[in-house]
Amino acid sequence: MRDDEIELFVEYMLDICKKMVECGAEARRVESTAEYMTSAYGFELRCANAINAMVEISIKAPNGHHYTQASRVMMTGTDLGKLERLNDLARKICAEHPDVQTIGYWINEEKKFVYPAWMELVGYLTMTFGFTLFFGGSIMDGIASALISIVVFALNLLLNHFIQASQNKLFYTFFACFLSGCLAILLVRMGLGMHPDKIMIGDVMIFIPGLNIVNGVRELFYRDIITGLYRLIEALMLAVAITAGFGIAILAFGGVLV
């Protein structure tokens, strides 16, 4: 490869690794992907460092030149479907050794894939309804929880997709939980549902940072201390925001769950 092609190859590799972090991938998986792709093209991986806030890759070419690039990760979430597609893309690149132009084309095609909004909404509805029933709520409680999830979905769509509030996940989580708590109590007082606590439990499952906690603990065992602590601290802060949001909502309506 020419120098400009190597720079482009590192850029594309960094792009794949960054998107994996955004989807919730473990640091070790991201770094292993960079290592496999580098080896497949005959380069030596000098450094691959992935944390929730940044990805950095440095390689050494056969001609002795070093190439280093880094990218800031502005937002993270959970998208296991996209993570699986990125893994398949990385394996395909390692197996077929396409030129950099083809790699760029494949990455652009992946960027075009977007889940339909109705599919995400169905996920919100079924999760909140199901968990409300699971924790002892009635059918009407489940319906109320599902209706609130529609509001949360619309808020997420508005803030995260249009205003990019996903960069401030803490504020979004607090505000969405506060709104959910208020709506749960209001719906019960209007006669839709009987147990506001069960309705809130169904809706709180939308916000629980379960994958962050699991990955954070695993990465601590892998000795990825910085990444593990980053995930666990973020999960703790989100837990505080969830508690504060629902707690203030309860206090605002008298502090009594009827």
Side-chain angles (χ1 to χ4, degrees):
M1 288 187 185
R2 302 189 309 268
D3 280 350
D4 59 332
E5 291 179 325
I6 297 176
E7 290 282 2
L8 197 57
F9 172 74
V10 177
E11 179 181 336
Y12 288 150
M13 182 167 54
L14 183 67
D15 195 16
I16 293 174
C17 292
K18 176 184 175 181
K19 292 183 182 304
M20 292 177 69
V21 173
E22 292 175 347
C23 294
E26 300 174 25
R28 288 173 66 90
R29 173 178 291 189
V30 176
E31 293 165 1
S32 295
T33 299
E35 182 178 0
Y36 292 142
M37 293 180 64
T38 302
S39 300
Y41 281 81
F43 300 118
E44 179 185 353
L45 182 65
R46 304 297 294 176
C47 174
N49 182 33
I51 60 176
N52 275 27
M54 187 191 72
V55 179
E56 179 184 9
I57 295 175
S58 179
I59 69 172
K60 181 180 179 181
N63 59 14
H65 292 174
H66 290 75
Y67 302 85
T68 302
Q69 293 188 27
S71 180
R72 176 78 184 274
V73 179
M74 299 301 298
M75 51 184 285
T76 59
T78 303
D79 191 339
L80 300 183
K82 185 173 183 178
L83 179 58
E84 184 178 358
R85 294 195 306 273
L86 291 169
N87 281 324
D88 290 340
L89 176 58
R91 295 189 189 102
K92 186 177 181 181
I93 292 172
C94 292
E96 300 183 12
H97 302 86
D99 55 42
V100 290
Q101 288 75 20
T102 303
I103 296 176
Y105 172 78
W106 288 348
I107 292 176
N108 288 332
E109 287 299 306
E110 166 57 32
K111 290 179 180 179
K112 294 178 182 178
F113 185 92
V114 179
Y115 288 109
W118 65 266
M119 186 180 297
E120 189 175 353
L121 177 59
V122 169
Y124 274 69
L125 294 173
T126 54
M127 181 170 65
T128 52
F129 181 82
F131 274 112
T132 300
L133 297 185
F134 178 80
F135 286 105
S138 65
I139 296 293
M140 293 305 296
D141 292 335
I143 293 174
S145 182
L147 290 176
I148 294 173
S149 73
I150 296 176
V151 177
V152 174
F153 171 77
L155 183 66
N156 175 69
L157 198 65
L158 174 66
L159 295 181
N160 288 351
H161 292 187
F162 294 101
I163 309 179
Q164 292 298 313
S166 52
Q167 296 180 19
N168 193 342
K169 192 183 296 184
L170 197 65
F171 169 77
Y172 162 75
T173 301
F174 168 78
F175 181 72
C177 289
F178 172 75
L179 181 61
S180 298
C182 292
L183 290 175
I185 297 175
L186 284 174
L187 288 177
V188 170
R189 293 188 178 181
M190 292 171 58
L192 182 59
M194 300 173 56
H195 309 95
D197 55 331
K198 302 298 190 296
I199 297 173
M200 291 182 191
I201 289 174
D203 287 314
V204 78
M205 302 309 292
I206 300 175
F207 308 101
I208 297 297
L211 187 63
N212 257 7
I213 296 173
V214 173
N215 283 349
V217 173
R218 290 184 64 177
E219 283 162 349
L220 287 178
F221 281 112
Y222 289 145
R223 294 193 301 173
D224 291 326
I225 305 299
I226 295 178
T227 309
L229 288 177
Y230 190 108
R231 291 186 190 275
L232 290 177
I233 292 172
E234 182 183 29
L236 178 62
M237 292 174 64
L238 289 177
V240 171
I242 293 169
T243 304
F246 280 104
I248 293 175
I250 294 172
L251 292 175
F253 283 86
V256 179
L257 295 177
V258 295

